[in-house]
Amino acid sequence: LHQHHKASQGKLILVSNRLPVHVDIKSDNTIQFRSSAGGLATALHGFHKDHSGTLWVGWPGVIPLEHQEVVKNRLLTEYGCY
């Protein structure tokens, strides 16, 4: 008797100090997102990008209060980060 068991698909959550993107608030109040350099963030960025079901939880740095909602929404929708 041969049985196939469908593996349940869970959600992978990556938790680290750094996100795979760095957030800069420029002097003209524009928000810039750029790839983080070095370490774990660089090592796992490709995996995270290729697996849309992953969520990356980390600290985006000090974000002024007036930009926090925009940064939070863009990190989640564009980068899969929280």
Side-chain angles (χ1 to χ4, degrees), residues 55-56 70-82:
L55 176 65
W56 194 312
V70 170
V71 169
K72 181 179 84 168
N73 289 335
R74 285 192 62 191
L75 282 172
L76 190 57
T77 58
E78 296 176 30
Y79 301 97
C81 297
Y82 186 81

Side-chain angles (χ1 to χ4, degrees), residues 2-69:
H2 185 266
Q3 295 181 358
H4 270 291
H5 294 284
K6 184 177 179 182
S8 64
Q9 298 238 340
K11 185 170 200 163
L12 178 63
I13 299 174
L14 302 168
V15 179
S16 68
N17 291 336
R18 292 173 58 193
L19 293 172
V21 292
H22 180 77
V23 181
D24 285 321
I25 308 297
K26 300 296 185 182
S27 59
D28 62 357
N29 272 336
T30 57
I31 303 170
Q32 180 182 27
F33 293 80
R34 59 184 169 85
S35 293
S36 294
L40 181 68
T42 299
L44 291 177
H45 179 68
F47 176 86
H48 174 64
K49 188 176 176 180
D50 292 343
H51 295 83
S52 62
T54 63
L55 176 65
W56 194 312
V57 178
W59 184 57
V62 177
I63 307 297
L65 186 60
E66 65 269 18
H67 296 292
Q68 288 179 2
E69 193 65 27

